[in-house]
Amino acid sequence: NYLKGMGTKLMTAREFSEAIRRPYSTVILWLRQKRIPGAYAVEAGAFKIWQIPATAVKTFTPPKPGRPSKNK
């Protein structure tokens, strides 16, 4: 997939999850939380197809696992 006119290669959520070796369900959560820069959803009937720039594989930093610490 290429972004129209930009020549940017795009990946699906499944392809991205395989590339960064993280579970697909985790990647979907991050996408819904808008943690993956440049990613966007395309409506396809009743489904959403996520489009993620291939460059995100190198630039994405996964959030730290666990609950956020409470600031006191």
Side-chain angles (χ1 to χ4, degrees):
N1 299 345
Y2 287 91
L3 195 59
K4 283 187 177 179
M6 303 291 274
T8 302
K9 181 155 176 51
L10 298 172
M11 307 174 81
T12 64
R14 177 123 4 241
E15 292 168 337
F16 185 75
S17 71
E18 291 170 1
I20 66 167
R21 296 183 175 156
R22 296 294 176 106
Y24 172 75
S25 58
T26 301
V27 169
I28 291 296
L29 176 65
W30 292 338
L31 287 165
R32 290 180 181 156
Q33 294 173 342
K34 301 183 185 324
R35 292 181 182 252
I36 302 174
Y40 62 93
V42 176
E43 298 287 331
F47 300 98
K48 281 186 183 177
I49 299 173
W50 288 95
Q51 299 290 292
I52 306 163
T55 55
V57 171
K58 292 181 182 176
T59 61
F60 177 70
T61 304
K64 292 181 182 178
R67 294 182 178 217
S69 61
K70 291 183 181 180
N71 292 332
K72 291 184 180 182

